[in-house]
Amino acid sequence: MDYLPLFHNLRGKRCLVVGGGAVGTRKAGVLLEAGARVRVVAPQISAELRAHPEVEMIEARFEPAHLDDAVLVIAATNDRAVNSQVSEQAQARGIPINAVDDPELCTVIMPAILDRSPLMVAFSSGGASPVLTRMMRGKLEAVIPQNYKRLAAFAERFRETVKQRVTNPPKRRLFWEDVLEGVIAEKVLTGDEAGAEALLQQRLDSEDNVLHGEVYLVGAGPGDPDLLTFRALRLMQKADVVVYDNLVSKPIVEMTRRDAERIFVGKKRADHTLRQEEINALLVRLAKEGKRVLRLKGGDPFIFGRGGEEIETLAAEGIPFQVVPGITAASGVASYAGIPLTHRDHAQACVFVTGHLKDGTMNLDWELLARPRQTVVVYMGLHGLDTLCAKLIEHGLPDSTPIAIVQQGTTQNQRVLTGTLATLPAIAEREKPQAPTLIIIGGVVTLREKLSWFHPQGTA
């Protein structure tokens, strides 16, 4: 370890920045955020820096006297000789010195900072690669979103109360782990601090009571793991149990917590490992056992995902839940196929419809679907393709209307078949696309030839 990472309290302390250009301005801003009293010395000082009247500005070349009463110095000029002089004088006085992008002149390194005050994370490569440290900070931005500020502040607010009520240190640690990983934390992160405080008080009043678990109804998107939301990823790493469908891709399932129990509930066409009512009951039972349950569904849970049915049951049973939207297949798959769902020259409306109704029929509103200048997206329509095309033609759409089948869209198994209402059934019979598929109907399909951009490995 080349550097010992420390967090300094600079509130009210004098800090010196030598350099009044863009870099000096940026460093002064960071010090101001930390509550420091900032002095800037430079022959010329930027207009942006002058907009801070609380900064002491000295328009002059650096002199050793400028170090008086400083507890930290930053050399931020574009003249190495000046930076070297600043470093030498600061070290002679025992003052920590940071020379921007010049580790040889530094006794301290300014890290890349992820600020979730009071939670702070700092990254440093010891000056070896500032770009890499910024990249790593960017990655962690996805894991620790802005609302973690609330959680850290909530924990700070109740720290002393919990310490007084839970006097055994090991038990107190377990208490906080449960709070910061469970329902209470989720309420804070979603803005319900009043509800979180009530649950925390309930837990303190009866420490032996086990709180109910919670269900996270999470949309996994159409297949590509890169399309998951930050919030989905966070909850996937927290869940004790994962209940997932056939439409959730294997790489996404593998991103859930390694030690979580995984329960596959099927949901293929006409082949359900568990009936919907059994899945609803399973979610209730697991939550009442105090577990954090991730209900992972392909696409978006509220678009042909039966998410509404599941949370109706949870609400009736008093089970806490939250819903995380996902990119629905219509949007994600169409984008990866190079087919815009709307376009001023082709479609001013877009209709989503399921080709497999609850009773197993395909009894749809054909007059609505056969209207011109719109895009129709059909979920679960592959096995009724012949009926779909015939009915649309029967109700007025030209048999030359463009139509596409997208197989396993957004994944490396994506394949797109295009044709017309008259020709696509025969094409599908010959090519035998594999579920899951999405059907897109309308003039926008003709744009695919120009707009196709996603080419799975091994395809042109």
Side-chain angles (χ1 to χ4, degrees):
M1 183 168 61
D2 296 327
Y3 292 87
L4 177 66
L6 298 170
F7 289 86
H8 288 270
N9 181 358
L10 296 178
R11 193 161 299 281
K13 307 288 179 57
R14 172 70 67 195
C15 295
L16 174 66
V17 177
V18 181
V23 177
T25 299
R26 188 168 67 248
K27 297 301 182 182
V30 173
L31 294 172
L32 288 172
E33 289 179 13
R37 295 163 53 221
V38 180
R39 173 186 296 150
V40 175
V41 174
Q44 293 182 322
I45 297 175
S46 72
E48 183 179 352
L49 199 48
R50 290 181 181 279
H52 293 278
E54 68 274 31
V55 175
E56 178 188 351
M57 286 170 274
I58 302 175
E59 291 190 74
R61 294 186 62 82
F62 168 75
E63 298 290 343
H66 296 143
L67 295 166
D68 290 350
D69 74 353
V71 300
L72 174 67
V73 180
I74 298 177
T77 78
N78 57 6
D79 187 334
R80 194 174 194 273
V82 174
N83 291 345
S84 181
Q85 180 191 9
V86 174
S87 176
E88 180 181 349
Q89 292 294 324
Q91 291 187 60
R93 297 191 184 201
I95 304 173
I97 168 70
N98 172 257
V100 178
D101 291 337
D102 199 339
E104 291 182 5
L105 301 181
C106 296
T107 61
V108 294
I109 296 292
M110 288 284 282
I113 299 170
L114 178 63
D115 185 359
R116 300 290 186 264
S117 299
L119 179 67
M120 299 286 292
V121 183
F123 291 87
S124 174
S125 64
S129 178
V131 172
L132 178 61
T133 61
R134 288 195 294 271
M135 288 172 57
M136 293 304 298
R137 180 187 64 186
K139 291 180 182 295
L140 203 59
E141 290 269 4
V143 181
I144 308 178
Q146 281 286 344
N147 54 8
Y148 264 73
K149 287 184 175 184
R150 298 176 185 164
L151 188 57
F154 181 87
E156 181 181 44
R157 183 154 56 95
F158 287 98
R159 181 181 178 187
E160 192 59 35
T161 300
V162 172
K163 186 176 181 180
Q164 292 175 4
R165 298 289 297 276
V166 187
T167 56
N168 180 276
K171 191 173 183 180
R172 187 164 61 242
R173 177 181 59 80
L174 292 174
F175 176 90
W176 275 118
E177 286 180 356
D178 182 63
V179 166
L180 296 175
E181 285 287 338
V183 178
I184 295 173
E186 285 304 317
K187 284 190 174 294
V188 175
L189 292 172
T190 54
D192 184 11
E193 292 203 26
E197 185 172 341
L199 285 177
L200 181 67
Q201 193 61 52
Q202 173 189 330
R203 186 69 187 275
L204 287 171
D205 291 341
S206 182
E207 293 174 23
D208 293 331
N209 281 353
V210 178
L211 295 174
H212 279 174
E214 184 177 16
V215 176
Y216 313 137
L217 186 63
V218 173
D224 185 349
D226 285 351
L227 299 180
L228 288 166
T229 64
F230 291 160
R231 189 171 172 194
L233 284 169
R234 177 169 60 80
L235 295 179
M236 287 166 66
Q237 289 297 311
K238 291 182 63 171
D240 304 308
V241 184
V242 180
V243 179
Y244 65 100
D245 286 349
N246 180 64
L247 290 177
V248 180
S249 66
K250 184 178 179 180
I252 290 176
V253 175
E254 292 299 320
M255 294 171 73
T256 59
R257 214 175 82 190
R258 290 289 180 185
D259 58 341
E261 179 185 0
R262 295 174 182 175
I263 301 175
F264 174 64
V265 294
K267 309 294 284 183
K268 291 184 182 179
R269 179 183 180 272
D271 181 16
H272 296 178
T273 302
L274 292 180
R275 293 183 297 109
Q276 186 61 54
E277 295 77 12
E278 294 173 314
I279 295 173
N280 299 349
L282 173 66
L283 299 177
V284 170
R285 176 175 64 79
L286 292 170
K288 286 188 174 180
E289 290 173 0
K291 295 176 180 176
R292 293 165 293 192
V293 184
L294 176 72
R295 178 64 174 109
L296 200 57
K297 305 175 78 69
D300 181 277
F302 278 8
I303 300 181
F304 306 127
R306 301 187 183 177
E309 298 175 39
E310 293 176 0
I311 65 172
E312 275 186 305
T313 302
L314 296 173
E317 293 287 340
I319 303 297
F321 64 85
Q322 55 179 292
V323 181
V324 181
I327 294 179
T328 188
S331 176
V333 171
S335 295
Y336 274 55
I339 303 173
L341 293 179
T342 62
H343 189 284
R344 287 189 298 174
D345 294 335
H346 297 277
Q348 284 72 52
C350 183
V351 179
F352 297 170
V353 62
T354 175
H356 183 69
L357 300 183
K358 191 171 183 178
D359 61 3
T361 70
M362 203 180 199
N363 185 23
L364 304 175
D365 186 344
W366 300 112
E367 290 187 3
L368 169 68
L369 301 183
R371 290 175 182 171
R373 301 190 65 78
Q374 70 177 4
T375 303
V376 177
V377 181
V378 185
Y379 290 68
M380 297 171 284
L382 180 61
H383 291 275
L385 180 63
D386 289 352
T387 301
L388 175 68
C389 292
K391 287 290 187 180
L392 290 175
I393 294 171
E394 178 185 328
H395 285 80
L397 275 185
D399 60 8
S400 59
T401 300
I403 179 172
I405 298 175
V406 187
Q407 166 190 295
Q408 299 176 37
T410 79
T411 75
Q412 291 302 313
N413 294 320
Q414 175 173 302
R415 187 163 61 127
V416 183
L417 306 177
T418 59
T420 66
L421 291 178
T423 63
L424 192 63
I427 294 171
E429 178 64 27
R430 182 179 68 249
E431 298 294 335
K432 301 189 182 318
Q434 300 298 307
T437 61
L438 195 79
I439 299 173
I440 306 173
I441 305 163
V444 291
V445 173
T446 61
L447 298 171
R448 168 174 161 72
E449 187 174 343
K450 290 189 294 184
L451 304 182
S452 176
W453 62 271
F454 176 65
H455 303 290
Q457 295 176 7
T459 66

Short mmCIF file of all heavy atoms in Angstrom, two decimals, residues 355-403:
data_model
loop_
_atom_site.label_atom_id
_atom_site.label_comp_id
_atom_site.label_asym_id
_atom_site.label_seq_id
_atom_site.Cartn_x
_atom_site.Cartn_y
_atom_site.Cartn_z
N GLY A 355 -51.08 -12.21 -28.10
CA GLY A 355 -51.70 -13.15 -29.00
C GLY A 355 -52.18 -14.41 -28.32
O GLY A 355 -52.65 -15.34 -28.97
N HIS A 356 -52.10 -14.42 -27.00
CA HIS A 356 -52.51 -15.62 -26.25
C HIS A 356 -53.34 -15.16 -25.06
O HIS A 356 -52.81 -14.72 -24.06
CB HIS A 356 -51.29 -16.40 -25.77
CG HIS A 356 -51.62 -17.68 -25.06
ND1 HIS A 356 -52.17 -18.76 -25.69
CD2 HIS A 356 -51.47 -18.03 -23.75
CE1 HIS A 356 -52.34 -19.75 -24.80
NE2 HIS A 356 -51.93 -19.33 -23.63
N LEU A 357 -54.64 -15.22 -25.19
CA LEU A 357 -55.52 -14.74 -24.13
C LEU A 357 -55.61 -15.76 -23.01
O LEU A 357 -55.18 -16.90 -23.12
CB LEU A 357 -56.91 -14.44 -24.70
CG LEU A 357 -56.96 -13.38 -25.81
CD1 LEU A 357 -58.40 -13.13 -26.23
CD2 LEU A 357 -56.29 -12.09 -25.36
N LYS A 358 -56.23 -15.34 -21.90
CA LYS A 358 -56.31 -16.17 -20.71
C LYS A 358 -57.02 -17.50 -20.98
O LYS A 358 -56.69 -18.53 -20.43
CB LYS A 358 -57.04 -15.41 -19.60
CG LYS A 358 -56.96 -16.06 -18.23
CD LYS A 358 -57.52 -15.13 -17.16
CE LYS A 358 -57.36 -15.75 -15.77
NZ LYS A 358 -57.86 -14.84 -14.72
N ASP A 359 -58.00 -17.47 -21.91
CA ASP A 359 -58.73 -18.70 -22.22
C ASP A 359 -58.10 -19.49 -23.36
O ASP A 359 -58.65 -20.46 -23.86
CB ASP A 359 -60.20 -18.38 -22.56
CG ASP A 359 -60.31 -17.46 -23.79
OD1 ASP A 359 -59.27 -17.14 -24.39
OD2 ASP A 359 -61.46 -17.09 -24.13
N GLY A 360 -56.90 -19.05 -23.80
CA GLY A 360 -56.18 -19.77 -24.83
C GLY A 360 -56.58 -19.43 -26.25
O GLY A 360 -56.02 -19.97 -27.21
N THR A 361 -57.51 -18.51 -26.43
CA THR A 361 -57.97 -18.15 -27.77
C THR A 361 -57.19 -16.97 -28.32
O THR A 361 -56.35 -16.38 -27.64
CB THR A 361 -59.47 -17.79 -27.75
OG1 THR A 361 -59.64 -16.54 -27.05
CG2 THR A 361 -60.28 -18.86 -27.07
N MET A 362 -57.47 -16.60 -29.57
CA MET A 362 -56.88 -15.41 -30.18
C MET A 362 -58.02 -14.51 -30.65
O MET A 362 -58.05 -14.04 -31.78
CB MET A 362 -55.97 -15.79 -31.34
CG MET A 362 -54.92 -14.74 -31.66
SD MET A 362 -53.86 -15.25 -33.02
CE MET A 362 -52.46 -14.15 -32.75
N ASN A 363 -58.97 -14.28 -29.78
CA ASN A 363 -60.15 -13.49 -30.10
C ASN A 363 -59.87 -12.03 -29.79
O ASN A 363 -60.18 -11.52 -28.72
CB ASN A 363 -61.35 -14.00 -29.28
CG ASN A 363 -62.63 -13.30 -29.66
OD1 ASN A 363 -62.75 -12.76 -30.77
ND2 ASN A 363 -63.59 -13.28 -28.76
N LEU A 364 -59.27 -11.32 -30.74
CA LEU A 364 -58.80 -9.95 -30.54
C LEU A 364 -59.74 -8.95 -31.19
O LEU A 364 -60.65 -9.31 -31.95
CB LEU A 364 -57.38 -9.80 -31.10
CG LEU A 364 -56.34 -10.78 -30.54
CD1 LEU A 364 -55.02 -10.61 -31.26
CD2 LEU A 364 -56.17 -10.61 -29.04
N ASP A 365 -59.51 -7.67 -30.93
CA ASP A 365 -60.28 -6.59 -31.54
C ASP A 365 -59.67 -6.32 -32.92
O ASP A 365 -58.84 -5.42 -33.10
CB ASP A 365 -60.23 -5.34 -30.65
CG ASP A 365 -61.13 -4.22 -31.16
OD1 ASP A 365 -61.55 -4.27 -32.33
OD2 ASP A 365 -61.39 -3.28 -30.38
N TRP A 366 -60.08 -7.10 -33.91
CA TRP A 366 -59.44 -7.05 -35.22
C TRP A 366 -59.64 -5.72 -35.92
O TRP A 366 -58.75 -5.25 -36.65
CB TRP A 366 -59.97 -8.19 -36.10
CG TRP A 366 -59.68 -9.55 -35.49
CD1 TRP A 366 -60.58 -10.43 -34.99
CD2 TRP A 366 -58.39 -10.14 -35.33
NE1 TRP A 366 -59.94 -11.55 -34.51
CE2 TRP A 366 -58.58 -11.39 -34.71
CE3 TRP A 366 -57.09 -9.74 -35.64
CZ2 TRP A 366 -57.53 -12.24 -34.41
CZ3 TRP A 366 -56.03 -10.59 -35.34
CH2 TRP A 366 -56.26 -11.82 -34.72
N GLU A 367 -60.79 -5.09 -35.73
CA GLU A 367 -61.02 -3.79 -36.38
C GLU A 367 -60.04 -2.74 -35.86
O GLU A 367 -59.53 -1.92 -36.62
CB GLU A 367 -62.46 -3.34 -36.14
CG GLU A 367 -63.49 -4.17 -36.89
CD GLU A 367 -64.90 -3.60 -36.76
OE1 GLU A 367 -65.05 -2.54 -36.14
OE2 GLU A 367 -65.85 -4.22 -37.30
N LEU A 368 -59.76 -2.77 -34.56
CA LEU A 368 -58.77 -1.85 -34.00
C LEU A 368 -57.39 -2.13 -34.57
O LEU A 368 -56.66 -1.21 -34.96
CB LEU A 368 -58.74 -1.99 -32.47
CG LEU A 368 -57.58 -1.30 -31.75
CD1 LEU A 368 -57.71 0.21 -31.86
CD2 LEU A 368 -57.51 -1.72 -30.30
N LEU A 369 -57.03 -3.39 -34.64
CA LEU A 369 -55.68 -3.76 -35.08
C LEU A 369 -55.47 -3.53 -36.57
O LEU A 369 -54.33 -3.38 -37.02
CB LEU A 369 -55.39 -5.22 -34.73
CG LEU A 369 -55.48 -5.59 -33.24
CD1 LEU A 369 -55.11 -7.05 -33.03
CD2 LEU A 369 -54.58 -4.69 -32.40
N ALA A 370 -56.55 -3.51 -37.34
CA ALA A 370 -56.42 -3.38 -38.79
C ALA A 370 -56.47 -1.93 -39.27
O ALA A 370 -56.56 -1.68 -40.48
CB ALA A 370 -57.54 -4.19 -39.47
N ARG A 371 -56.40 -0.99 -38.36
CA ARG A 371 -56.41 0.41 -38.79
C ARG A 371 -55.09 0.78 -39.46
O ARG A 371 -54.03 0.27 -39.09
CB ARG A 371 -56.65 1.33 -37.59
CG ARG A 371 -58.06 1.22 -37.02
CD ARG A 371 -58.22 2.05 -35.77
NE ARG A 371 -59.57 1.90 -35.21
CZ ARG A 371 -59.94 2.38 -34.03
NH1 ARG A 371 -59.06 3.04 -33.28
NH2 ARG A 371 -61.17 2.20 -33.61
N PRO A 372 -55.13 1.70 -40.43
CA PRO A 372 -53.89 2.07 -41.14
C PRO A 372 -53.02 3.01 -40.30
O PRO A 372 -53.45 3.57 -39.29
CB PRO A 372 -54.42 2.79 -42.38
CG PRO A 372 -55.73 3.36 -41.94
CD PRO A 372 -56.32 2.37 -40.97
N ARG A 373 -51.77 3.16 -40.73
CA ARG A 373 -50.80 4.10 -40.17
C ARG A 373 -50.60 3.92 -38.67
O ARG A 373 -50.57 4.86 -37.90
CB ARG A 373 -51.18 5.55 -40.51
CG ARG A 373 -51.27 5.81 -42.01
CD ARG A 373 -51.42 7.27 -42.32
NE ARG A 373 -50.23 8.04 -41.93
CZ ARG A 373 -49.09 8.08 -42.61
NH1 ARG A 373 -48.95 7.36 -43.71
NH2 ARG A 373 -48.08 8.83 -42.20
N GLN A 374 -50.48 2.68 -38.27
CA GLN A 374 -50.13 2.38 -36.89
C GLN A 374 -49.23 1.15 -36.88
O GLN A 374 -49.16 0.40 -37.86
CB GLN A 374 -51.37 2.14 -36.03
CG GLN A 374 -52.12 0.85 -36.32
CD GLN A 374 -53.29 0.62 -35.38
OE1 GLN A 374 -53.62 1.45 -34.54
NE2 GLN A 374 -53.94 -0.52 -35.52
N THR A 375 -48.54 0.97 -35.77
CA THR A 375 -47.72 -0.23 -35.59
C THR A 375 -48.43 -1.13 -34.58
O THR A 375 -48.90 -0.66 -33.54
CB THR A 375 -46.32 0.14 -35.05
OG1 THR A 375 -45.69 1.05 -35.95
CG2 THR A 375 -45.45 -1.10 -34.90
N VAL A 376 -48.49 -2.39 -34.89
CA VAL A 376 -49.07 -3.38 -33.97
C VAL A 376 -47.95 -4.32 -33.52
O VAL A 376 -47.23 -4.88 -34.35
CB VAL A 376 -50.20 -4.19 -34.64
CG1 VAL A 376 -50.73 -5.26 -33.68
CG2 VAL A 376 -51.32 -3.26 -35.09
N VAL A 377 -47.81 -4.45 -32.22
CA VAL A 377 -46.81 -5.36 -31.64
C VAL A 377 -47.54 -6.47 -30.93
O VAL A 377 -48.37 -6.22 -30.06
CB VAL A 377 -45.87 -4.62 -30.66
CG1 VAL A 377 -44.83 -5.59 -30.10
CG2 VAL A 377 -45.18 -3.45 -31.35
N VAL A 378 -47.25 -7.70 -31.32
CA VAL A 378 -47.96 -8.86 -30.78
C VAL A 378 -47.01 -9.69 -29.94
O VAL A 378 -46.00 -10.20 -30.43
CB VAL A 378 -48.56 -9.73 -31.91
CG1 VAL A 378 -49.39 -10.87 -31.30
CG2 VAL A 378 -49.41 -8.88 -32.85
N TYR A 379 -47.33 -9.79 -28.66
CA TYR A 379 -46.60 -10.68 -27.75
C TYR A 379 -47.22 -12.08 -27.85
O TYR A 379 -48.43 -12.23 -27.97
CB TYR A 379 -46.74 -10.20 -26.31
CG TYR A 379 -46.03 -8.92 -25.94
CD1 TYR A 379 -46.43 -7.69 -26.47
CD2 TYR A 379 -44.98 -8.91 -25.04
CE1 TYR A 379 -45.80 -6.51 -26.11
CE2 TYR A 379 -44.34 -7.75 -24.66
CZ TYR A 379 -44.75 -6.55 -25.20
OH TYR A 379 -44.13 -5.39 -24.83
N MET A 380 -46.39 -13.09 -27.73
CA MET A 380 -46.86 -14.48 -27.66
C MET A 380 -47.80 -14.83 -28.81
O MET A 380 -48.82 -15.49 -28.63
CB MET A 380 -47.55 -14.74 -26.30
CG MET A 380 -46.61 -14.58 -25.12
SD MET A 380 -47.45 -14.61 -23.52
CE MET A 380 -48.20 -12.97 -23.48
N GLY A 381 -47.43 -14.40 -30.01
CA GLY A 381 -48.32 -14.62 -31.14
C GLY A 381 -47.84 -15.64 -32.15
O GLY A 381 -48.50 -15.87 -33.17
N LEU A 382 -46.67 -16.28 -31.91
CA LEU A 382 -46.07 -17.15 -32.92
C LEU A 382 -46.99 -18.30 -33.31
O LEU A 382 -47.16 -18.59 -34.51
CB LEU A 382 -44.73 -17.69 -32.41
CG LEU A 382 -43.98 -18.62 -33.37
CD1 LEU A 382 -43.64 -17.89 -34.66
CD2 LEU A 382 -42.71 -19.16 -32.70
N HIS A 383 -47.60 -18.96 -32.33
CA HIS A 383 -48.40 -20.15 -32.65
C HIS A 383 -49.74 -19.79 -33.29
O HIS A 383 -50.41 -20.66 -33.84
CB HIS A 383 -48.62 -20.98 -31.38
CG HIS A 383 -47.36 -21.64 -30.90
ND1 HIS A 383 -46.93 -22.85 -31.38
CD2 HIS A 383 -46.44 -21.23 -29.99
CE1 HIS A 383 -45.79 -23.17 -30.79
NE2 HIS A 383 -45.47 -22.21 -29.94
N GLY A 384 -50.11 -18.53 -33.24
CA GLY A 384 -51.34 -18.10 -33.91
C GLY A 384 -51.07 -17.24 -35.12
O GLY A 384 -51.94 -16.48 -35.56
N LEU A 385 -49.86 -17.36 -35.68
CA LEU A 385 -49.45 -16.46 -36.77
C LEU A 385 -50.39 -16.57 -37.97
O LEU A 385 -50.77 -15.55 -38.56
CB LEU A 385 -48.02 -16.77 -37.19
CG LEU A 385 -47.45 -15.91 -38.33
CD1 LEU A 385 -47.39 -14.44 -37.92
CD2 LEU A 385 -46.07 -16.42 -38.74
N ASP A 386 -50.76 -17.78 -38.37
CA ASP A 386 -51.66 -17.94 -39.51
C ASP A 386 -52.97 -17.20 -39.28
O ASP A 386 -53.45 -16.46 -40.17
CB ASP A 386 -51.95 -19.42 -39.75
CG ASP A 386 -50.75 -20.17 -40.30
OD1 ASP A 386 -49.76 -19.50 -40.65
OD2 ASP A 386 -50.81 -21.40 -40.39
N THR A 387 -53.56 -17.40 -38.10
CA THR A 387 -54.83 -16.73 -37.77
C THR A 387 -54.65 -15.22 -37.73
O THR A 387 -55.49 -14.47 -38.26
CB THR A 387 -55.35 -17.23 -36.41
OG1 THR A 387 -55.54 -18.64 -36.47
CG2 THR A 387 -56.65 -16.54 -36.03
N LEU A 388 -53.56 -14.76 -37.14
CA LEU A 388 -53.30 -13.33 -37.02
C LEU A 388 -53.27 -12.67 -38.40
O LEU A 388 -53.95 -11.66 -38.64
CB LEU A 388 -51.96 -13.12 -36.30
CG LEU A 388 -51.46 -11.68 -36.18
CD1 LEU A 388 -52.34 -10.87 -35.26
CD2 LEU A 388 -50.01 -11.65 -35.70
N CYS A 389 -52.48 -13.22 -39.31
CA CYS A 389 -52.34 -12.62 -40.64
C CYS A 389 -53.67 -12.67 -41.40
O CYS A 389 -54.08 -11.69 -42.05
CB CYS A 389 -51.25 -13.33 -41.43
SG CYS A 389 -49.57 -13.05 -40.75
N ALA A 390 -54.34 -13.81 -41.33
CA ALA A 390 -55.60 -13.96 -42.06
C ALA A 390 -56.66 -12.99 -41.56
O ALA A 390 -57.39 -12.38 -42.36
CB ALA A 390 -56.09 -15.41 -41.93
N LYS A 391 -56.77 -12.83 -40.24
CA LYS A 391 -57.78 -11.94 -39.66
C LYS A 391 -57.50 -10.48 -40.00
O LYS A 391 -58.42 -9.69 -40.25
CB LYS A 391 -57.86 -12.13 -38.15
CG LYS A 391 -58.51 -13.44 -37.72
CD LYS A 391 -60.01 -13.41 -38.02
CE LYS A 391 -60.72 -14.62 -37.46
NZ LYS A 391 -62.18 -14.60 -37.76
N LEU A 392 -56.24 -10.09 -40.00
CA LEU A 392 -55.91 -8.70 -40.32
C LEU A 392 -56.25 -8.39 -41.78
O LEU A 392 -56.74 -7.31 -42.11
CB LEU A 392 -54.44 -8.42 -40.02
CG LEU A 392 -54.07 -8.40 -38.54
CD1 LEU A 392 -52.56 -8.24 -38.35
CD2 LEU A 392 -54.81 -7.28 -37.80
N ILE A 393 -55.97 -9.34 -42.67
CA ILE A 393 -56.33 -9.16 -44.08
C ILE A 393 -57.84 -9.11 -44.23
O ILE A 393 -58.41 -8.26 -44.94
CB ILE A 393 -55.73 -10.29 -44.93
CG1 ILE A 393 -54.20 -10.20 -44.93
CG2 ILE A 393 -56.27 -10.23 -46.36
CD1 ILE A 393 -53.50 -11.39 -45.57
N GLU A 394 -58.52 -10.02 -43.53
CA GLU A 394 -59.99 -10.07 -43.58
C GLU A 394 -60.62 -8.77 -43.13
O GLU A 394 -61.67 -8.35 -43.66
CB GLU A 394 -60.47 -11.22 -42.70
CG GLU A 394 -61.98 -11.39 -42.61
CD GLU A 394 -62.38 -12.47 -41.64
OE1 GLU A 394 -61.61 -13.46 -41.50
OE2 GLU A 394 -63.44 -12.34 -41.00
N HIS A 395 -59.98 -8.07 -42.18
CA HIS A 395 -60.56 -6.84 -41.64
C HIS A 395 -59.98 -5.58 -42.29
O HIS A 395 -60.14 -4.48 -41.74
CB HIS A 395 -60.37 -6.80 -40.12
CG HIS A 395 -61.31 -7.71 -39.39
ND1 HIS A 395 -61.10 -9.06 -39.29
CD2 HIS A 395 -62.50 -7.46 -38.77
CE1 HIS A 395 -62.09 -9.62 -38.61
NE2 HIS A 395 -62.95 -8.67 -38.29
N GLY A 396 -59.32 -5.72 -43.42
CA GLY A 396 -59.01 -4.53 -44.21
C GLY A 396 -57.57 -4.18 -44.44
O GLY A 396 -57.28 -3.28 -45.24
N LEU A 397 -56.61 -4.82 -43.76
CA LEU A 397 -55.21 -4.49 -44.02
C LEU A 397 -54.79 -5.15 -45.33
O LEU A 397 -55.13 -6.32 -45.59
CB LEU A 397 -54.31 -4.98 -42.89
CG LEU A 397 -54.14 -4.07 -41.67
CD1 LEU A 397 -53.11 -4.66 -40.71
CD2 LEU A 397 -53.73 -2.66 -42.07
N PRO A 398 -54.05 -4.46 -46.20
CA PRO A 398 -53.57 -5.07 -47.45
C PRO A 398 -52.69 -6.28 -47.15
O PRO A 398 -51.94 -6.28 -46.16
CB PRO A 398 -52.76 -3.94 -48.10
CG PRO A 398 -53.26 -2.68 -47.47
CD PRO A 398 -53.66 -3.04 -46.09
N ASP A 399 -52.77 -7.29 -47.99
CA ASP A 399 -51.94 -8.47 -47.74
C ASP A 399 -50.45 -8.17 -47.95
O ASP A 399 -49.58 -8.96 -47.58
CB ASP A 399 -52.37 -9.65 -48.61
CG ASP A 399 -52.28 -9.37 -50.11
OD1 ASP A 399 -51.74 -8.31 -50.48
OD2 ASP A 399 -52.75 -10.21 -50.90
N SER A 400 -50.14 -6.98 -48.50
CA SER A 400 -48.75 -6.56 -48.68
C SER A 400 -48.19 -5.82 -47.46
O SER A 400 -47.05 -5.34 -47.49
CB SER A 400 -48.63 -5.66 -49.91
OG SER A 400 -49.48 -4.50 -49.76
N THR A 401 -48.99 -5.72 -46.39
CA THR A 401 -48.54 -5.01 -45.19
C THR A 401 -47.28 -5.68 -44.62
O THR A 401 -47.26 -6.90 -44.40
CB THR A 401 -49.64 -5.01 -44.11
OG1 THR A 401 -50.80 -4.37 -44.64
CG2 THR A 401 -49.17 -4.31 -42.86
N PRO A 402 -46.20 -4.92 -44.38
CA PRO A 402 -44.97 -5.52 -43.86
C PRO A 402 -45.16 -6.07 -42.45
O PRO A 402 -45.90 -5.51 -41.63
CB PRO A 402 -43.98 -4.35 -43.86
CG PRO A 402 -44.55 -3.35 -44.81
CD PRO A 402 -46.03 -3.49 -44.70
N ILE A 403 -44.46 -7.16 -42.16
CA ILE A 403 -44.54 -7.80 -40.86
C ILE A 403 -43.21 -8.48 -40.56
O ILE A 403 -42.52 -8.96 -41.48
CB ILE A 403 -45.72 -8.82 -40.81
CG1 ILE A 403 -45.80 -9.51 -39.44
CG2 ILE A 403 -45.63 -9.83 -41.92
CD1 ILE A 403 -47.04 -10.37 -39.27
#
